[in-house]
Amino acid sequence: MKSREAECIAEIKEAVKDNKVLCLVSGGVDSTVCAALMSKALKHDQVVAVHVDNGFMRKDESEKVEESLERLGLHLKVITAAQQFYNGTTSIPVNRKDPKSPKRVTKTLNMITNPEEKRKVIGDMFMRIADEVCMELNLKPEDTILAQGTLRPDLIESASKIASHNAEAIKTHHNDTELVRQLRDQGRVIEPLKDFHKDEVRVLGTDLGLPIDVVQRHPFPGPGLAIRVICAEEPYMGRDFAETNVILRILVDYARAASKPHALMGRIKGSTSEEEKDLLTAITVACDLSATLLPIKTVGVQGDCRTYSYVAALTCDGEPHWENLLTLAKIIPKICHNINRVVYVFGDPISHNINDVTPTFLTPGVLGTLRQADHLGRDVLLKSGYYNKISQMPVILVPLHFDRDPVKHEPSCQRSIVIRTFVTNDFMTGIPAEPGKHIKEEVIIDMVTAIQTVPGVSRVMYDLTAKPPGTTEWE
């Protein structure tokens, strides 16, 4: 790794020369290692480190970022820009598949539900604020280079030509928007970690002398909590919703359903191997399961292509058998390609279908609910001693209010929380942490109990999905 460190430093010196470097630091591993490389490669007065509080940070996160970087001897300029981000817009092609098509202006970020548009607005707002910082510090934009901690997986998922000429965009990373690509073409961006994966960045950070608590921090996306809120103003229910719901219910009652004639049983049997049929039979004999399709969509990946579709929810009468649930979570998306994720819902079996959503946008109240749930869940994980055994743990807010009797016409006004534990070496593929194997089940239960104290939370769920078909983040 020492040779790669030397290569990075040589690349930085060659690209930057006597110019100034503006380094956007989120406080995550990637941007911190990038800043440390800049500091080692360049003169002290060449590096300007900036942290932008975009309003989507975790609880007390900006203060912790500033403290940790001061310990490294890096002076950090902190910019509070929540209102600028909430009200930010950008221009995007009318035809997503044709970047040269006419442009349209998006809604303000606090009114957008489309996750790709959210990411693009956030990425472009970072660039605009970077230009404002240049002006404030009397730095000439044409003589200032932007330093980013972009990794190879970021570029692959964004379908950047730097990483791949053939891949389809799975999701736009905030550090690979169209505006960033234009700056790259002008030679105004340096990304010394662009050929690195997360595990390699951690080793490099250790070699650079960064503290272990900084190097081992869980990844936190640049757009922050903004991409951990599933925004929606209406339910996602395509023509296939009802049929998929039926297939889902047949699957969780397979042992009994297999002996009864049903038009959809042939499709299920035709999509499964003999081994999978045997597993479905054994699981559904052993467990009293129920399932329902949720009217929301999340991003997933199959091959090099993005998928964007439903979430299946499982519940059981009694204690969950995690190995069986995780096996089901592998089989279900193979049969129903329009299901990206499978979750387990804690609590009593779901007795009513959910056919609507609680209107949800990036507003201070919504973000406050997620911020508190995230804080409580992470606090339990940190105190448990399992933090470094889990690669990442996104906590997601979804616009779903369970346990409403449709006869009573109760409005949907609460939201639910998803815990997404993730175990991986390189973040290109990975699995959910299995309770009782990768993490104590009591730790998960303690998280659920803590999160259920947050006002406005209907239910807590546990993501059972591997990558692929699901991505690490839900958006």
Side-chain angles (χ1 to χ4, degrees):
M1 192 58 74
K2 281 292 182 184
S3 63
R4 295 190 72 181
E5 177 188 327
E7 288 173 9
C8 289
I9 289 173
E11 178 190 345
I12 292 166
K13 288 181 175 180
E14 173 65 25
V16 175
K17 296 184 173 63
D18 295 325
N19 291 314
K20 298 279 190 180
V21 170
L22 181 64
C23 195
L24 294 178
V25 184
S26 68
V29 181
D30 309 335
S31 62
T32 303
V33 170
C34 179
L37 278 170
M38 295 297 151
S39 179
K40 186 167 183 177
L42 304 171
K43 297 175 184 175
H44 182 71
D45 61 355
Q46 280 185 273
V47 183
V48 180
V50 175
H51 170 71
V52 179
D53 182 350
N54 54 15
F56 307 123
M57 304 301 290
R58 284 176 164 145
K59 191 171 184 177
D60 303 325
E61 184 83 356
S62 290
E63 292 84 353
K64 292 174 183 175
V65 169
E66 189 171 11
E67 288 172 11
S68 66
L69 288 174
E70 290 287 355
R71 278 189 290 156
L72 306 178
L74 282 171
H75 175 66
L76 192 68
K77 181 178 178 61
V78 178
I79 296 172
T80 302
Q83 289 304 317
Q84 287 173 265
F85 275 85
Y86 293 162
N87 296 301
T89 63
T90 194
S91 296
I92 59 174
V94 172
N95 181 353
R96 186 179 69 84
K97 295 183 179 180
D98 180 10
K100 295 181 181 179
S101 67
K103 300 287 183 74
R104 67 173 177 86
V105 177
T106 64
K107 296 178 182 178
T108 56
L109 184 58
N110 58 6
M111 292 301 294
I112 291 175
T113 57
N114 182 290
E116 274 294 285
E117 291 187 19
K118 282 161 62 176
R119 284 177 171 271
K120 287 174 179 174
V121 170
I122 291 167
D124 287 353
M125 285 302 301
F126 272 122
M127 296 303 102
R128 289 173 198 161
I129 287 171
D131 280 343
E132 289 176 10
V133 171
C134 288
M135 292 177 63
E136 183 184 331
L137 299 177
N138 294 318
L139 302 174
K140 294 180 181 179
E142 63 271 18
D143 295 331
T144 304
I145 295 175
L146 176 69
Q148 295 195 138
T150 312
L151 303 192
R152 184 166 180 78
D154 301 341
L155 297 170
I156 291 172
E157 291 187 331
S158 293
S160 171
K161 64 184 179 182
I162 295 175
S164 173
H165 290 280
N166 300 314
E168 180 179 318
I170 296 161
K171 58 187 178 186
T172 297
H173 282 261
H174 74 285
N175 48 17
D176 192 36
T177 65
E178 190 60 36
L179 190 52
V180 173
R181 292 179 181 184
Q182 289 173 16
L183 292 174
R184 270 199 204 105
D185 292 340
Q186 296 166 16
R188 286 185 55 199
V189 178
I190 183 164
E191 295 161 301
L193 305 176
K194 63 182 178 297
D195 293 322
F196 284 70
H197 289 266
K198 183 71 69 177
D199 55 329
E200 297 170 321
V201 172
R202 294 192 197 282
V203 174
L204 178 58
T206 302
D207 290 346
L208 286 166
L210 300 183
I212 191 70
D213 62 319
V214 173
V215 172
Q216 293 301 327
R217 285 194 72 189
H218 284 185
F220 186 62
L225 299 178
I227 58 165
R228 293 182 178 175
V229 175
I230 305 300
C231 296
E233 53 186 333
E234 57 185 21
Y236 173 61
M237 300 173 73
R239 293 180 180 177
D240 55 354
F241 186 85
E243 182 179 280
T244 305
N245 216 353
V246 172
I247 294 173
L248 197 55
R249 286 175 176 170
I250 292 173
L251 284 171
V252 297
D253 193 27
Y254 185 83
R256 279 183 290 184
S259 62
K260 301 174 184 176
H262 196 289
L264 294 172
M265 183 55 76
R267 175 174 161 184
I268 293 170
K269 290 184 175 179
S271 304
T272 49
S273 65
E274 289 304 316
E275 182 185 358
E276 288 168 337
K277 292 185 185 76
D278 290 343
L279 282 169
L280 282 171
T281 300
I283 290 170
T284 54
V285 165
C287 305
D288 187 4
L289 297 165
S290 58
T292 190
L293 199 61
L294 303 178
I296 57 173
K297 52 186 176 179
T298 75
V299 70
V301 56
Q302 293 181 17
D304 275 342
C305 297
R306 172 173 60 187
T307 57
Y308 197 45
S309 206
Y310 301 116
V311 178
L314 304 178
T315 55
C316 64
D317 193 2
E319 295 300 313
H321 188 292
W322 294 106
E323 186 178 353
N324 285 346
L325 290 169
L326 287 162
T327 300
L328 273 178
K330 292 177 185 175
I331 295 174
I332 288 170
K334 288 181 65 177
I335 297 168
C336 302
H337 297 297
N338 54 356
I339 292 177
N340 272 342
R341 290 182 194 272
V342 181
V343 297
Y344 174 74
V345 185
F346 289 94
D348 295 333
I350 299 169
S351 53
H352 306 296
N353 284 339
I354 298 182
N355 295 315
D356 56 1
V357 296
T358 301
T360 299
F361 301 93
L362 294 177
T363 57
V366 168
L367 289 162
T369 298
L370 176 56
R371 189 172 285 116
Q372 184 63 11
D374 173 82
H375 169 71
L376 293 172
R378 287 181 74 244
D379 188 54
V380 170
L381 184 63
L382 284 164
K383 291 176 179 176
S384 73
Y386 280 88
Y387 182 85
N388 289 333
K389 297 178 182 179
I390 303 296
S391 306
Q392 191 174 3
M393 194 184 79
V395 175
I396 303 102
L397 181 144
V398 295
L400 300 174
H401 187 172
F402 290 86
D403 309 311
R404 292 174 296 121
D405 188 342
V407 175
K408 297 179 180 177
H409 300 289
E410 297 174 273
S412 181
C413 55
Q414 295 185 345
R415 299 174 178 90
S416 295
I417 296 292
V418 183
I419 299 168
R420 165 66 157 163
T421 57
F422 196 63
V423 179
T424 181
N425 290 322
D426 58 7
F427 285 88
M428 294 301 293
T429 60
I431 58 172
E434 181 180 333
K437 181 179 179 182
H438 300 107
I439 186 170
K440 282 186 179 179
E441 186 172 10
E442 304 94 271
V443 176
I444 301 298
I445 299 302
D446 287 347
M447 285 186 203
V448 173
T449 302
I451 291 170
Q452 285 174 330
T453 66
V454 179
V457 171
S458 171
R459 291 261 198 148
V460 180
M461 295 173 264
Y462 192 78
D463 193 342
L464 304 167
T465 318
K467 177 184 182 179
T471 48
T472 310
E473 301 284 352
W474 275 43
E475 284 195 345

